[in-house]
């Protein structure tokens, strides 16, 4: 959902690399992992200098030196042969890292090549490579490694080779799926259209985007290789001449450290393994967060309670609008000066500022605006469904004599769906993929009417689906068995399941074909006539609004640009944005008219211009527009516009 | 030129569910056959088989060597065209295939014969069956506990995302994941031995004479430490995967829909998020089965638990090849079958699989 | 080189295999994505190709780009048959036929700078090997695509540009090869309404200044107005109506075109009109209806429509429609 993206997106960096370093530095996990890793790499490289004793030499060792506890001369005590544990520990780091890095290199090379080739070429190549990978994946690694090493000479390089040759399967799978994902992106198709060959595409378009995942995976593979090596050594299968942590444990465990209580001989080498593996794990997880930032925020996190700050500005008097169907309709929703902000630490981004509108029974209001104008945020705010960082910072939402901003979570839960329901943009993911559509409709009914007779449920679901033109047999189908248009209609059926008074339709037809769009618009129009439903229709398409709405609220950059009945908006718009937006629509009845557009692009909510939000793109802007934000001027009863040009004409 | 259908069109052609299942079963059968072949040739290609070394010992008389060759079945060609693989010695391609070492191996397998242990002279199949149950007992208890604890902590962490609970669980998971299994086993053993726990084996010798309840109690006391070590190590990954999977699911649009429907946080978690988030876990459990065995080998080595892993450990030390070969085969086949079960479970859980 | 047509398509078909025959299904099934399309594109002409998703318009574009191989029929580029040519020849042809994609957020590689993106086609084709000349061509392409001053854009990354600017970069990447034909696959449907005309006007300018022929693919005639010279309406893999923009918009003959036009919203509440809303959705292109492909959804279908599959019939010299109602 658009709102999710808006929230907490890191500032756009100048180039991918500088951006990477900036985010890397800010990621505590990644930095901690890197520092831990560097410490151990340093120790391994300079082992000869750091280690106080030579672990291979028995010089100067006496019989009384066996299993001595830690002391000033032997920091980590001594082992079963009387040698300094600390020195062995430092030298052990060297072998662990050598095995880890080289084995991982082999694995990554094989897995990376297989993955890219399989993902990119597909067909027989993919089939063969991935079947082979699956085969290797199910055969348990360690027993096979143990057998290999036991049957061959357990030298360091044999161990590296065996671990490397058996450890590539997950890499191949991950790289393949990433390659597939990259390959299906349009820029690869574009490169083909340019005439680029496979080699060029792999090198310039696939690899740069697979590389980040490969690096994260490589770090994981290194840690797994280090664990494998230490396990082998512990099982007594290491190169007898190469000191390693696993081997130290093997000696200590097998030669009575436990019975004499020499914990230091057991703890030190294990600590080394945990240190390295944890370092790599932290680095890997941190890097993943940096390369593929997730918000780690979700819909169940407790939201911020609304701040009721009173009415900052006087809101326009109740509009006298011509509801086309009912002259005596009662007001069902009164939104007064609502402002919404996204809060991130100390910074606040105002997504919606002082928006007011009223909704009458059976009225269809169009909420029009381009991407990022705050329209979806406003709709989520009405039902208090804002993401965790979003907060209503001002205003009142009056429904049925109650202010929705002051209700508790439990109270608002009762109003949701029963009184006000919402259909989201793109029903692709708005339905739970593992539950049948009928089941999800029933759930809503039972939630708000626990006494609903079990027997009637089934018929009610069929009735609702019938209302939106879906055959009864489809109630037991899963969402993926529906087409896009059907899913959207099923969402509408579900939204109607509790007979709400207000239906919010948030771009319900975006991404659907024109004919499906017409079907859904027709359906909504019929429903409001039949059921007296009040509908808030959110859209970027002024044409759709003209077709069916009673009143229109045009939003720009989080504020109301213009608000009036539909006839006024189309025939005597006052805000330059409305005027120019209307001109941008091709009018098929007037072939001679040239298509117009508004230069520039809509403002980003975190970088709003100081004055009028539209001033940078406005052809009629003057000095005052740049410095001062216009307030809403009332031009006539029920017609307001936030433009300095409207000041003189206002009442 | 790629000829895959344009995006979107393939979805309207549902794949038959039974065909999918048959594919999976067929693939598992093929994998088992592959393992059979691998298991046979691996031990004949790699150097170091003491039986073969023995039959070449120049200190022995020719007749004694020949008798040994017959005893180990080495007098027959490995397979058609090859008398031996180390070193490669070509042979007659026209021999009766049923008279080759490979087919005798297959024939014996079908009869449940895995050879005779070099060390104990007992039938390998007999040793392994007894040990298989011990391993299943340990892995079963450990996996159930680690899945349960890992998932519970993972759910808690994801639900309370970006709070101290979440960060604590995340760090616990990362540390648990980083622990080498055998080392954790040693540390726990070290601790347990000074707190009155038995330090190894499956039961106190002679306990068989006591009533059943007392026996069970004794086994439970022996199992406690290895199961604890096992649970901690595997819990980490389940925790991390569950947390990340649930975080993804909870950010989905259908969770917002559920919230808009007026459902409470608990209802949403229970009815809309958990099942969806569990799906990746099933895959992880399947992929992890190999690691499960690796964990068992280490735990059994540390705690002298008489299981399959322990058998491998001991067989490596004493170079007892028939046991090693048999244990590997048994483990590989078990993992493949468990994998198949996980695959089928996934098919059952996720309605989308049936049409993809 | 005095060919009248920049591109000529003759009875073009593209089928995809849908599921292999196996244990359970004995017969091969095909998706009839493009099923017999004839179209001529004159030099410097703009043809709009209209249809809903699943009508085969995108597959047609990929086939014309030689990114998919035609199952049947011929594609003639400036009089020369290019349907089945070698990879080397195909590469040469790609200099002349370029494509603009729907989603400007997806069609640029996020790790490349604008300069790298626009230079890439030159490198791929080994053109303008002199660094200075290459740079000049890149700058000119960017300016022609309306990104001025071009120097300001060279070192930026796609994520630093707005949707409209990105689409201009895609166009510049096509222009740098100096193509004769531009295939624009829904180039504005992902853009904000207020800037759509920017891109459409740019394409109109290119046609005028460079004589480029354009095939403009869209699902919504309402977004492009009278920008095209001719319109071809596609339904289930075929062209069901083709004519000049005015003929089709003012006097549509095929019931499908009539319905499509009737649902285009008119941005004027005083002119609400009667809409013809077709029920159901486009059938899947595997099991095609008998007779006229449109008859199951056609509000005017006759008995004869079930049996007989109409060819394109002449309405005027330039206007053709495939409907049996015209045979009277």
């Amino acid at each position: 959902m658009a709102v999710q993206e808006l929230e907490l997106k890191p500032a756009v960096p100048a180039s991918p690399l500088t951006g990477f370093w900036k985010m890397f530095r800010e990621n505590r996990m990644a930095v901690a992992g890197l520092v831990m890793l560097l410490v151990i790499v340093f120790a391994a490289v300079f082992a000869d200098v750091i280690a106080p004793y030579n672990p291979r030499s028995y010089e100067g060792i006496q019989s009384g030196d066996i299993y001595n506890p830690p002391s000033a001369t032997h920091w980590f005590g001594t082992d079963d042969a009387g040698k300094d544990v600390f020195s062995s520990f430092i030298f052990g780091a060297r072998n662990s890292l050598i095995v880890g890095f080289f084995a991982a290199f082999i694995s990554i090379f094989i897995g990376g090549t297989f993955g890219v080739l399989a993902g990119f070429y597909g067909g027989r190549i993919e089939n063969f490579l991935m079947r082979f990978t699956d085969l290797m994946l199910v055969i348990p690694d360690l027993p096979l490694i143990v057998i290999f090493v036991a049957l061959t000479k357990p030298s360091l390089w044999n161990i590296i080779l065996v671990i490397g040759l058996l450890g590539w399967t997950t890499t191949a799978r991950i790289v393949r799926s990433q390659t597939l994902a990259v390959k299906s992106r349009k820029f690869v198709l574009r490169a083909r259209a340019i005439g680029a060959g496979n080699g060029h595409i792999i090198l310039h378009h696939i690899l740069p985007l697979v590389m980040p995942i490969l690096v994260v995976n490589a770090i994981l593979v290194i840690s797994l290789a280090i664990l494998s090596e230490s396990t082998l050594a512990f099982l007594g299968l290491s190169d007898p001449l190469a000191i390693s942590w696993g081997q130290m444990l093997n000696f200590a465990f097998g030669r009575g450290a436990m019975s004499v209580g020499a914990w230091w001989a057991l703890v030190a080498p294990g600590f080394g393994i945990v240190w390295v593996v944890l370092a790599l794990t932290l680095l890997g997880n941190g890097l993943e967060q940096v390369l593929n930032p997730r918000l780690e925020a979700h819909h169940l996190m407790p939201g911020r309670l609304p701040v009721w700050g009173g009415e900052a500005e006087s809101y326009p008097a109740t509009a006298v609008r011509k509801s086309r169907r009912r002259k005596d309709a009662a007001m069902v929703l009164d939104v007064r000066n609502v402002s919404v902000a996204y809060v991130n630490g100390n910074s606040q981004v105002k997504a919606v500022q002082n928006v007011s509108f009223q909704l009458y029974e059976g009225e269809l209001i169009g909420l029009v605006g381009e991407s990022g104008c705050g329209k979806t945020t406003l709709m989520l705010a009405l039902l208090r469904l804002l993401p965790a960082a979003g907060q209503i910072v001002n205003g009142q939402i009056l429904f049925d004599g109650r202010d929705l901003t002051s209700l508790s979570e439990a109270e608002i839960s009762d109003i949701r769906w029963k009184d006000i329901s919402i259909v989201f943009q793109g029903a692709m993911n708005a339905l739970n993929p593992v539950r049948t559509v009928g089941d999800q409709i029933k759930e809503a009914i039972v939630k708000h009417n626990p006494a609903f007779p079990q027997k009637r449920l089934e018929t009610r679901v069929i009735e609702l689906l019938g209302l939106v033109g879906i055959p009864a047999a489809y109630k037991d189908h899963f969402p993926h068995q529906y087409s896009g248009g059907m899913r959207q209609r099923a969402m509408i059926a579900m939204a109607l399941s509790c007979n709400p008074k207000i239906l919010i339709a948030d771009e319900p037809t975006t991404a659907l074909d024109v004919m499906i769009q017409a079907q859904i618009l027709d359906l909504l129009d019929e429903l409001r006539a039949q059921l007296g439903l009040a509908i808030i229709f959110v859209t970027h398409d002024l044409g759709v609004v003209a077709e069916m709405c009673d009143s229109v609220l045009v939003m720009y950059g989080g504020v109301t640009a213009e608000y009036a009945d539909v006839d006024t908006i189309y025939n005597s718009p006052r805000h330059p944005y409305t005027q120019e937006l209307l001109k941008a629509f091709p009018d098929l009845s007037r072939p001679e008219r040239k298509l117009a557009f508004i230069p520039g692009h809509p403002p980003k909510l975190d970088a709003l211009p100081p004055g009028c939000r539209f001033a940078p793109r406005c052809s009629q802007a003057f000095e005052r527009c740049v410095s001062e934000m216009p307030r809403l001027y009332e031009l006539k009863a029920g017609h307001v516009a936030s433009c300095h040009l409207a000041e003189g004409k206002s009442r | 030129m790629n000829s895959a259908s344009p995006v979107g069109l393939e979805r309207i052609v549902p794949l038959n569910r039974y065909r999918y299942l048959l594919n999976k079963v067929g693939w598992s059968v093929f994998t088992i056959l592959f393992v059979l072949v691998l298991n046979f040739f691996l031990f004949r290609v790699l150097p170091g088989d003491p039986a073969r070394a023995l039959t070449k010992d120049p200190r022995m008389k020719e007749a004694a060597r020949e008798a040994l060759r017959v005893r180990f079945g080495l007098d027959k060609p490995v397979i058609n065209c090859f008398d031996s693989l180390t070193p490669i010695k070509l042979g007659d391609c026209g021999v009766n295939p049923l008279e080759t070492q490979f087919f005798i191996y297959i024939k014996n397998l079908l009869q449940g014969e895995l050879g005779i242990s070099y060390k104990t002279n007992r039938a390998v199949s007999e040793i392994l069956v007894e040990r298989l149950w011990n391993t299943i007992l340990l892995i079963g208890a450990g996996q159930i506990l680690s899945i349960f604890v890992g998932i519970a902590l993972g759910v808690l962490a994801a639900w309370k995302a970006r709070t101290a609970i979440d960060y604590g669980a995340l760090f616990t998971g990362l540390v648990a994941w980083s622990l080498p299994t055998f080392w954790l086993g040693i540390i726990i053993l070290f601790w347990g031995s000074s707190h009155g726990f038995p330090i190894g084996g499956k039961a106190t010798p002679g306990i068989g004479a006591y009533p059943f309840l007392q026996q069970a109690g004794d086994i439970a006391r022996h199992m406690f430490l290895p199961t604890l070590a096992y649970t901690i190590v595997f819990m980490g990954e389940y925790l991390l995967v569950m947390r990340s999977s649930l975080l993804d699911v909870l950010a989905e649009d259908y969770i917002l829909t559920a919230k808009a429907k007026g459902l409470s946080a608990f209802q949403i978690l229970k009815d809309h998020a958990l099942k969806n988030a569990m799906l990746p876990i099933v895959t992880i459990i399947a992929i992890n089965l190999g690691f499960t065995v690796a964990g068992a080998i280490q735990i059994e080595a540390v705690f002298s638990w008489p299981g399959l892993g322990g058998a491998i450990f001991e067989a490596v030390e004493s170079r007892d090849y028939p046991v090693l070969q048999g244990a590997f085969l048994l483990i590989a086949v078990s993992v493949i079958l468990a994998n198949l079960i996980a695959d089928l479970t996934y098919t059952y859980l996720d309605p989308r699989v049936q049409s993809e | 080189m005095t060919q009248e047509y920049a591109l000529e398509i003759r009875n073009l078909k593209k089928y995809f295999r849908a599921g292999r025959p196996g244990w359970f299904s004995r017969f091969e099934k095909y998706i009839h994505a493009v099923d017999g399309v004839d179209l001529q594109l004159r030099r410097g002409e703009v043809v709009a190709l209209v249809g809903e998703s699943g009508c085969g318009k995108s597959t047609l574009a990929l086939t014309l780009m030689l990114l998919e191989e035609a199952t049947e029929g011929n594609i003639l580029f400036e009089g020369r048959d290019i349907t089945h040519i070698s990879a080397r020849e195909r590469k040469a042809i790609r200099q002349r036929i370029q494509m603009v994609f729907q989603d400007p957020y997806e069609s640029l590689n996020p790790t490349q700078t604008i300069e790298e993106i626009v230079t890439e086609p030159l490198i791929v084709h080994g053109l303008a090997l002199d660094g200075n000349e290459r740079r000049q061509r890149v700058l000119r392409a960017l300016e022609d695509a309306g990104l001025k001053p071009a120097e300001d854009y060279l070192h930026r990354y796609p994520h630093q540009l707005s949707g409209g600017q990105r689409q201009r970069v895609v166009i510049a990447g096509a222009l740098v090869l100096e193509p004769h034909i531009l295939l624009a696959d829904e180039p504005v449907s992902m853009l904000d309404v207020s800037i759509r005309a920017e891109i459409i006007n740019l394409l109109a300018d290119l046609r005028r200044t460079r004589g480029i022929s354009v095939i403009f693919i869209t699902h919504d005639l309402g977004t492009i107005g009278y920008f095209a010279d001719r319109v071809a309406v596609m339904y289930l893999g075929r062209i069901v109506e083709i004519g000049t923009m005015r003929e089709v918009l003012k006097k549509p003959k095929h019931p499908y075109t009539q319905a499509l036009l009737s649902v285009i919203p008119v941005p004027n509440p005083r002119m609400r009109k009667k809409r013809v809303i077709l029920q159901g959705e486009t059938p899947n292109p595997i099991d095609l209806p008998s007779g006229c492909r449109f008859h199951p959804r056609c509000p005017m279908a006759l008995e004869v429509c079930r049996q007989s599959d109409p060819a394109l019939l002449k309405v005027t010299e330039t206007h053709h429609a495939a409907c049996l109602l015209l045979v009277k």
Side-chain angles (χ1 to χ4, degrees), chain B residues 62 87 124 145 159 224 234 340 350 355:
Chain B
E62 180 59 34
V124 172
L145 272 173
W159 191 7
F224 180 77
F234 279 87
L340 179 66
D350 190 346
S355 56

Side-chain angles (χ1 to χ4, degrees), chain A residues 469 489 515-516 519, chain C residues 52 235 277-283 297:
Chain A
R489 279 181 286 156
M515 196 53 73
I516 311 289
Q519 288 171 2
Chain C
E52 294 178 274
Y235 186 78
I277 294 176
L278 301 175
Q279 291 312 307
E281 296 172 25
T282 316
R297 297 175 77 201

